């Protein structure tokens, strides 16, 4: 294991714990937006859309938009961890 990797493992559970609140907004007839407000106050958004307004399902739209936002949070958290580990390694050299 590289320096500090165990300390910074990212899991779905660890991401979920960072979420202070979740909001959904329907835009038009086919789009759902989800905003995840983190404990830090930072907001991550995700979205989903369907082609046919007659096929719109609010529950599915919310689930997919939340999943999209969580995937973006995962990417941001991965970047943060990698930068933190890199800075710690550079400080030791």
């Amino acid at each position: 294991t590289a320096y500090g990797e165990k300390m910074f493992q990212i899991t779905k559970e660890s991401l979920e714990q960072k979420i202070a609140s979740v909001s959904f907004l329907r835009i038009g007839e086919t789009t759902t937006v989800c905003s995840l407000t983190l404990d830090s106050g930072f907001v991550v958004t995700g979205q989903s859309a369907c082609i046919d307004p007659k096929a719109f399902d609010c529950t599915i739209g919310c689930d997919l938009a939340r999943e999209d936002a969580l995937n973006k949070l995962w990417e941001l958290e991965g970047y943060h961890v990698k930068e933190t580990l890199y800075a710690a390694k550079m400080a030791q050299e």
Side-chain angles (χ1 to χ4, degrees):
T1 305
Y3 171 80
E5 278 185 23
K6 279 284 192 198
M7 293 176 29
F8 291 105
Q9 286 188 352
I10 303 168
T11 64
K12 185 173 182 180
E13 293 76 26
S14 68
L15 295 178
E16 293 283 354
Q17 290 175 355
K18 295 177 180 291
I19 300 170
S21 66
V22 180
S23 299
F24 297 97
L25 175 65
R26 182 174 176 179
I27 299 176
E29 296 182 310
T30 60
T31 302
T32 304
V33 175
C34 173
S35 65
L36 305 177
T37 301
L38 308 182
D39 292 330
S40 67
F42 190 79
V43 177
V44 180
T45 61
Q47 69 179 41
S48 67
C50 67
I51 296 170
D52 183 0
K54 294 176 189 165
F56 182 84
D57 182 302
C58 186
T59 301
I60 293 172
C62 289
D63 288 347
L64 292 174
R66 190 179 194 286
E67 183 179 330
D68 185 45
L70 197 61
N71 286 337
K72 290 177 183 178
L73 177 57
W74 202 299
E75 185 177 352
L76 290 167
E77 193 69 11
Y79 168 79
H80 171 71
V81 167
K82 196 68 170 174
E83 282 294 310
T84 300
L85 290 172
Y86 177 74
K89 180 182 172 188
M90 291 295 104
Q92 287 187 338
E93 291 183 1

